[in-house]
Amino acid sequence: VTKGSFYWHFKDRDALLDAMLQQYKRVSIEAGRLALRGVREDPVARLRAILEAPGKKDAKAVEGVRIELAIRLWARRSDNVRAMLRELDATRDEVIGNLLRDAGCVDTRLRPLTLLVQALLFQLWTREDLNNSDREALVALTLDVLKSSNIKHRPTRPVAG
């Protein structure tokens, strides 16, 4: 790339980096949408599809995870990158939270369970030592935990007996 060609497209280096971040954010959000394409409306089935996506080993997705890890390290040194990641994480939290709410999750458990799903997804995407059996067990256990947390009418104090 010549200097003239670069400046035709970008004002400066920061403009290039900002464009890269915004493109990554768009691609990442679209990848999440693609993981849900064709999955029936049942929120638990949709959560399962999200949790099973890392096990499919899509080469493009694996590369995206490596890029995200680099971006998260970059965010330690850059306020702009941290801000973009906050937006991306908020979008992901909203999608997961809406699925949990649709599945019947009580509001008091919504945020912690959303963070739990996000933490598990991070492990599923980044741990290269997990085999299919480990992944399947983690997904099944997580869905069991989520289902048991979706009881809307829990007693707030022990029932006298």
Side-chain angles (χ1 to χ4, degrees):
V1 175
T2 66
K3 192 173 186 178
S5 174
F6 175 85
Y7 285 109
W8 175 263
H9 295 286
F10 303 101
K11 178 183 170 196
D12 54 23
R13 180 179 180 273
D14 288 339
L16 168 67
L17 297 176
D18 287 343
M20 287 171 37
L21 288 172
Q22 293 310 312
Q23 176 65 11
Y24 179 77
K25 185 173 131 184
R26 278 190 298 277
V27 167
S28 180
I29 291 169
E30 183 58 27
R33 288 188 184 119
L34 287 174
L36 293 173
R37 184 176 286 163
V39 179
R40 62 184 188 268
E41 291 299 315
D42 173 35
V44 175
R46 295 173 75 77
L47 282 166
R48 179 181 293 282
I50 288 171
L51 291 169
E52 289 177 343
K56 295 183 177 161
K57 296 290 185 187
D58 175 281
K60 195 172 186 180
V62 170
E63 182 63 22
V65 170
R66 290 185 179 127
I67 291 169
E68 180 148 339
L69 287 171
I71 289 172
R72 288 193 178 276
L73 289 171
W74 180 16
R76 292 178 172 201
R77 301 181 320 270
S78 169
D79 292 338
N80 289 342
V81 178
R82 263 192 307 280
M84 185 281 296
L85 281 176
R86 275 194 300 273
E87 291 172 13
L88 181 57
D89 288 338
T91 299
R92 290 172 175 166
D93 288 349
E94 182 180 3
V95 169
I96 301 287
N98 286 340
L99 287 173
L100 289 169
R101 184 178 289 112
D102 292 348
C105 184
V106 293
D107 285 341
T108 57
R109 306 286 310 259
L110 197 59
R111 178 78 176 148
L113 288 172
T114 298
L115 295 174
L116 179 65
V117 170
Q118 289 282 48
L120 175 64
L121 279 168
F122 187 78
Q123 285 292 301
L124 290 171
W125 277 114
T126 59
R127 291 279 303 263
E128 295 183 11
D129 62 327
L130 295 179
N131 59 38
N132 286 340
S133 179
D134 290 335
R135 289 174 183 283
E136 290 168 10
L138 281 168
V139 169
L141 177 62
T142 301
L143 291 172
D144 286 346
V145 168
L146 293 174
K147 287 175 187 175
S148 71
S149 296
N150 290 340
I151 300 168
K152 290 187 177 207
H153 302 291
R154 295 173 191 255
T156 55
R157 58 183 179 267
V159 177

